[in-house]
Amino acid sequence: MTVTIVGSQLGDEGKGALVDLWGGDADVVARYQGGDNAGHTVVEDGDEYKLSLVPSGAVRDKVGVLGNGCVVNPKTLFSEIDELRDRGLDPDVRVARRAHVIMPYHRVLDGIEEEAKSDSDLDAGTTGRGIGPTYEDKAGRRGIRIGDLLDPEVLRDRLEYVVPQKRALAEDVFGIQAGEAFDIDAIYEEYRAIGERLERESMTVNAGAFLASHVDAGESVLFEGAQGTSIDIDHGIYPYVTSSNPTAGGAATGTGVGPTVVGRGEVVGIVKAYLSRVGTGPLPTELTGDDEDLADCIREKGGEFGTVTGRPRRIGWLDVPMLRHAARANGITSLAVNHIDVLAGLDEVKVGHSYDLDGEELLSMPATTERWGRCEPNLREFEPWPEVDWAAVAAEGYESIPENAREYLDYLVEEVGAPIYAVGVGPDRAQTIELQNPFEQ
Ligand code: IMP
């Protein structure tokens, strides 16, 4: 049995809480794309763990796998593992030998290119972690993979080919002084030591074979998507996207199990009751102008500041065409809706039900971002719901959610065409009301 958790919006939907909740029923939790751009906060008994690379299941003693579709900054990996160990946990993390490594020059180039693009409004507002440049090198067949760190000769050969190119790019194209991040010998020494630690701690695996053996043994695997559908490189708002596939198809290509393995399981779309966005680009339902105060209120209450970068997030009403798009692109079989408590006590609650584009009503997202930017949302208003004791609601269950909020949830079920399996009414794991465990089908 597999369960795939995908972000239905722009990332930051609160996937970590659900992965953590259902990860308890999984034997293995695998990430299939992205890298240390994915901030997830897991709250366990009031203890907060901020992770950006280690799968959140690690907080619950699960085997965590970083699949071949991930890009791995080994320094982040080790610092997160070391911190979890310092806090008394014993995370078991395995890394695909086919996963690509984020090298020091990737991070530098990420920053330079964003800077260069900013004159033309094409900067994506990246997290600056080197994600895009690493995926570029993967597609350009000049990347360095985790498996290469284990083999001194291969590592040396690869570096000798690629680093001079990167140095020339930095110096001749972007006109910056290339420093240590572009020094073959320094990189070689550091990354050989990393390879030795990976080997010493038996952390590397052939991810596809490793996961298949668990699936074949009848164990449960949870695929943890990072980011969200609308920042998917293929299905998102290109070019304001991340460089991987957060959509459910990525769970197969990014781990090495077949799409049938993923498709036989559940695909749970995680939805936040409003929108937030750390990056640039259009956002039709954004709360701006007269609605700035409302945006501030939601931002503060929802803690909408980037986990990785600390940047304040832009805020908007829930965008339902975006959800219909996500339902199709992922084959969503069920939903988990988070943060309905954040909208409590507002004077008004709205959603973008459809778009108006050039006099036509659209129910889903257009394929170009320029057209999406010209969409005017047709807002639908809901009766607001009051502030209540959400901890008590969480303890009592779904029926104790205020009636108006339940109407809002019923509307989502109807529009997206999938049942709700969980509702988040607060940040702690205990504040997620479970209606159905996707592993118990
Ligand atoms: P990158 O993934 O750092 O290359 O950033 C590309 C785009 O994806 C930017 O708009 C980022 O803000 C956005 N992004 C990357 N990771 C996350 C995430 O975990 N949550 C929300 N947005 C993200």
Side-chain angles (χ1 to χ4, degrees):
M1 175 70 189
T2 70
V3 170
T4 303
I5 301 284
V6 294
S8 306
Q9 294 150 318
L10 296 147
D12 308 318
E13 297 93 350
K15 294 178 288 295
L18 282 313
V19 172
D20 196 31
L21 177 69
W22 291 322
D25 297 298
D27 299 292
V28 181
V29 178
R31 273 192 60 184
Y32 54 88
Q33 43 72 232
D36 56 348
N37 52 346
H40 38 269
T41 307
V42 181
V43 182
E44 166 84 347
D45 292 335
D47 282 332
E48 204 174 84
Y49 300 91
K50 283 195 186 298
L51 301 169
S52 63
L53 186 58
V54 166
S56 14
V59 172
R60 297 204 68 179
D61 288 341
K62 301 293 153 184
V63 180
V65 176
L66 294 171
N68 52 279
C70 295
V71 286
V72 179
N73 184 332
K75 296 185 214 171
T76 309
L77 178 65
F78 289 145
S79 87
E80 289 187 359
I81 289 176
D82 291 344
E83 193 188 327
L84 290 174
R85 284 184 184 156
D86 285 348
R87 292 177 68 178
L89 301 177
D90 184 20
D92 180 355
V93 181
R94 313 297 176 94
V95 191
R97 289 186 202 109
R98 287 186 166 93
H100 280 249
V101 182
I102 301 178
M103 304 300 285
Y105 48 81
H106 289 133
R107 286 177 67 118
V108 176
L109 290 168
D110 193 355
I112 309 175
E113 188 158 6
E114 279 285 281
E115 179 69 34
K117 280 180 167 175
S118 60
D119 289 343
S120 53
D121 279 348
L122 285 175
D123 58 315
T126 73
T127 57
R129 299 295 190 264
I131 306 295
T134 308
Y135 279 114
E136 264 180 60
D137 280 354
K138 171 179 177 174
R141 297 170 300 226
R142 66 182 90 83
I144 306 228
R145 307 204 294 181
I146 287 289
D148 302 337
L149 303 184
L150 311 181
D151 186 327
E153 258 174 58
V154 173
L155 178 60
R156 186 92 213 178
D157 280 355
R158 297 266 194 274
L159 289 173
E160 279 177 5
Y161 174 73
V162 74
V163 175
Q165 285 189 17
K166 299 295 160 187
R167 175 179 280 275
L169 181 62
E171 290 180 343
D172 303 343
V173 177
F174 293 113
I176 65 143
Q177 186 74 39
E180 261 233 326
F182 297 80
D183 180 313
I184 296 180
D185 290 335
I187 299 175
Y188 176 79
E189 289 307 320
E190 188 173 17
Y191 283 76
R192 258 311 288 151
I194 287 170
E196 280 165 10
R197 177 166 173 188
L198 286 168
E199 214 156 26
R200 210 170 40 248
E201 300 195 12
S202 307
M203 285 176 70
T204 68
V205 287
N206 178 342
F210 181 80
L211 290 167
S213 71
H214 283 271
V215 172
D216 291 347
E219 293 184 7
S220 305
V221 176
L222 189 142
F223 295 110
E224 173 179 2
Q227 289 88 39
T229 303
S230 283
I231 55 172
D232 182 288
I233 185 131
D234 285 281
H235 305 290
I237 50 170
Y238 194 91
Y240 307 104
V241 291
T242 193
S243 301
S244 64
N245 288 119
T247 41
T253 51
T255 63
V257 302
T260 42
V261 172
V262 176
R264 274 198 299 273
E266 285 268 342
V267 177
V268 190
I270 313 303
V271 174
K272 183 153 67 181
Y274 52 89
L275 286 191
S276 72
R277 170 84 175 123
V278 276
T280 48
L283 196 59
T285 61
E286 184 165 17
L287 292 167
T288 50
D290 291 348
D291 290 324
E292 208 77 65
D293 288 349
L294 190 53
D296 287 344
C297 168
I298 294 174
R299 184 179 302 110
E300 285 301 323
K301 205 165 155 199
E304 297 295 349
F305 298 88
T307 321
V308 173
T309 58
R311 291 179 287 184
R313 297 179 182 146
R314 299 157 66 191
I315 304 291
W317 292 126
L318 186 82
D319 185 321
V320 183
M322 185 184 279
L323 295 185
R324 295 188 192 101
H325 171 69
R328 181 186 46 72
N330 293 291
I332 283 173
T333 56
S334 49
L335 296 172
V337 184
N338 279 326
H339 279 20
I340 61 160
D341 54 306
V342 174
L343 299 185
L346 298 180
D347 294 335
E348 50 177 354
V349 174
K350 293 180 184 164
V351 302
H353 174 75
S354 61
Y355 305 133
D356 192 48
L357 180 65
D358 301 334
E360 196 192 335
E361 188 187 29
L362 300 185
L363 287 172
S364 191
M365 293 172 89
T368 71
T369 306
E370 291 67 31
R371 278 167 61 78
W372 189 55
R374 288 197 291 111
C375 285
E376 282 299 323
N378 294 313
L379 296 175
R380 185 173 285 198
E381 193 153 356
F382 284 77
E383 288 296 323
W385 48 92
E387 195 55 87
V388 291
D389 178 352
W390 292 103
V393 168
E396 283 162 31
Y398 190 79
E399 294 306 317
S400 64
I401 293 174
E403 195 181 335
N404 291 345
R406 274 186 284 135
E407 277 182 22
Y408 181 91
L409 295 171
D410 289 345
Y411 162 82
L412 289 184
V413 169
E414 185 72 19
E415 294 302 321
V416 180
I420 291 181
Y421 280 11
V423 183
V425 298
D428 202 284
R429 198 173 73 210
Q431 288 169 300
T432 301
I433 299 172
E434 185 183 59
L435 287 90
Q436 169 75 47
N437 181 330
F439 280 112
E440 290 170 8
Q441 289 299 315

